[in-house]
Amino acid sequence: MMNKANYHGFTLLEILIALCILSMIISLSSPSFTNYLWKTKIKGTSLTMMANAQFLERWKSSHGTYTDISGNCPVFPYPLYPDSKNDAAYAIDSQKSKCSVKHYIIRALPVCHKARLENGNYQCLCLSSGDSINEFANFKCINNKGICDCIHLK
């Protein structure tokens, strides 16, 4: 038998109980943390879309139209491309967006396997002139060179 004066550590049972409590705390907080990280990615994408919308408004005030000489959207000053340096779940560029003389639609396209699935579909973010950012969860993600394109499911 061990003398209490010579006791200098934890028993195996005490360590196992501490590990069980720690694993329960982690399992309860993990979904909340994952959801928080996802909302942060959506917010960052939304801010990039708003900055590009402000650019388009300034473009229209100086050129009288939302389009460039070729009839497309002008090159956005704040594109968002997923690469090894960032963990972007969406891609934003002027080629994927639509511009006309009086209107524009900025689209944030989900990146396959990085964007969050909602009922088996990826969410697309769209910002149109005079409107707020809308999320469309009923779009199917089709792989197009690593960046997914949004097509509406009928």
Side-chain angles (χ1 to χ4, degrees):
M1 228 169 173
M2 259 175 130
N3 189 351
K4 286 194 175 189
N6 293 335
Y7 180 71
H8 294 291
F10 298 105
T11 65
L12 182 61
L13 183 62
E14 291 171 330
I15 292 173
L16 288 176
I17 290 172
L19 286 175
C20 287
I21 292 171
L22 185 62
S23 66
M24 284 191 294
I25 291 171
I26 290 172
S27 67
L28 291 174
S29 65
S30 179
S32 297
F33 184 68
T34 305
N35 196 26
Y36 170 75
L37 288 177
W38 179 248
K39 286 182 180 180
T40 303
K41 286 184 181 186
I42 292 284
K43 188 68 172 172
T45 303
S46 299
L47 290 173
T48 304
M49 292 173 78
M50 294 300 287
N52 287 321
Q54 289 175 349
F55 163 75
L56 285 175
E57 293 297 336
R58 288 191 304 272
W59 180 276
K60 184 176 187 229
S61 68
S62 62
H63 295 88
T65 180
Y66 289 116
T67 61
D68 60 7
I69 296 171
S70 64
N72 298 320
C73 290
V75 176
F76 291 160
Y78 309 106
L80 182 61
Y81 298 110
D83 57 18
S84 59
K85 295 177 185 170
N86 65 35
D87 193 30
Y90 288 91
I92 301 171
D93 70 358
S94 58
Q95 295 176 345
K96 300 289 184 188
S97 300
K98 305 238 184 264
C99 293
S100 67
V101 175
K102 296 184 179 183
H103 302 285
Y104 64 84
I105 297 175
I106 299 173
R107 297 192 316 163
L109 303 179
V111 177
C112 291
H113 309 296
K114 286 190 177 183
R116 179 187 235 177
L117 285 171
E118 295 287 335
N119 299 323
N121 297 316
Y122 289 98
Q123 284 184 313
C124 295
L125 302 176
C126 296
L127 172 64
S128 58
S129 51
D131 199 3
S132 59
I133 294 175
N134 297 306
E135 295 181 24
F136 297 101
N138 59 340
F139 282 72
K140 187 73 174 170
C141 189
I142 304 297
N143 197 341
N144 182 13
K145 297 180 183 175
I147 296 174
C148 299
D149 207 358
C150 297
I151 60 170
H152 192 270
L153 294 178
K154 296 183 182 185

